[in-house]
Amino acid sequence: MRIAFADGEMSNLNADFGQLLCACVCEYDTTKPQGGKIHTFTLHDYEDKRWDDSRLAKAWRDCMEDFDIIVTWNGIRFDVPFLNTRLRHRGMREVRLSHHIDLMYTARFKLRLASATLDHVSSFLGCKVKKTRMQPDQWGRAMGGHRPSYAYILNHCKLDVRVLAEVYDKTRHLIREIK
């Protein structure tokens, strides 16, 4: 059974006003708590057409469909609907996931913590990988073409899937149902 961890970074919380900036899919590796190989998807033509996320959306969709189980954090209510909206906007079919585990709900309903953010849960579990902080200015500059800000967002996404892999490794015994 092939498992992977997926996350995307977007320019807005609404897919009709925003777009995909980048996405990562990290393969599960039982020998590495922080996950294995990372597939990274970026805006194909960042220099000239930053607004065209169609290739990114298709590549992210196709990669996730290669796995038996996709694990996300708030992916059921955010990442997957956002991706599907962008795909539909570009006239492409939506993602078809075999099985999807949203670890945010595992943390929310199987643990009793003050917050169900990935940052808080990973800190509580003592994860070694640390997320970078969300910095709104980085998003704004990246959308304006600032390469170092775009690199920051890409690194943020990579760390998110690594943290997600480590949280999964520490909480997988709590997962009882896979949809």
Side-chain angles (χ1 to χ4, degrees):
M1 182 137 323
R2 295 187 66 222
I3 301 171
F5 310 94
D7 185 49
E9 302 302 336
M10 292 71 165
S11 67
N12 195 298
L13 295 176
N14 298 303
D16 54 347
F17 280 80
Q19 71 176 69
L20 295 167
L21 295 175
C22 65
C24 292
V25 175
C26 177
E27 295 182 19
Y28 181 56
D29 184 336
T30 57
T31 66
K32 299 175 186 172
Q34 293 90 15
K37 178 182 177 184
I38 293 182
H39 304 267
T40 305
F41 307 99
T42 60
L43 291 170
H44 176 72
D45 197 356
Y46 182 77
E47 293 300 324
D48 295 324
K49 295 181 181 178
R50 284 185 296 280
W51 59 87
D52 185 358
D53 62 355
S54 58
R55 286 173 133 179
L56 191 168
K58 182 183 181 308
W60 189 24
R61 176 200 69 198
D62 293 348
C63 183
M64 287 195 295
E65 289 179 346
D66 284 343
F67 292 89
D68 300 307
I69 299 174
I70 291 295
V71 180
T72 62
W73 195 273
N74 197 25
I76 287 175
R77 289 191 155 196
F78 184 72
D79 294 80
V80 172
F82 196 104
L83 172 60
N84 283 336
T85 302
R86 296 309 299 162
L87 288 164
R88 182 175 287 254
H89 175 66
R90 297 296 184 180
M92 294 183 273
R93 71 167 175 79
E94 297 175 355
V95 66
R96 297 179 186 131
L97 300 178
S98 296
H99 299 285
H100 185 176
I101 298 170
D102 193 325
L103 273 185
M104 183 183 76
Y105 295 103
T106 302
R108 184 173 284 165
F109 299 122
K110 300 291 182 169
L111 301 172
R112 192 68 194 121
L113 302 175
S115 172
T117 65
L118 182 56
D119 191 37
H120 185 81
V121 173
S122 65
S123 177
F124 174 80
L125 294 172
C127 293
K128 292 178 182 162
V129 178
K130 303 296 179 203
K131 288 174 46 67
T132 56
R133 293 276 178 215
M134 293 286 286
Q135 295 183 358
D137 287 348
Q138 297 285 12
W139 263 251
R141 286 194 294 269
M143 289 182 293
H146 188 246
R147 276 230 174 258
S149 294
Y150 190 67
Y152 175 87
I153 292 169
L154 186 56
N155 185 59
H156 176 87
C157 192
K158 288 177 183 177
L159 288 172
D160 275 358
V161 291
R162 291 273 186 226
V163 170
L164 189 57
E166 195 171 357
V167 169
Y168 174 81
D169 200 58
K170 292 175 180 274
T171 60
R172 67 182 179 203
H173 66 283
L174 298 174
I175 298 167
R176 296 285 180 244
E177 183 177 316
I178 300 173
K179 295 184 179 196

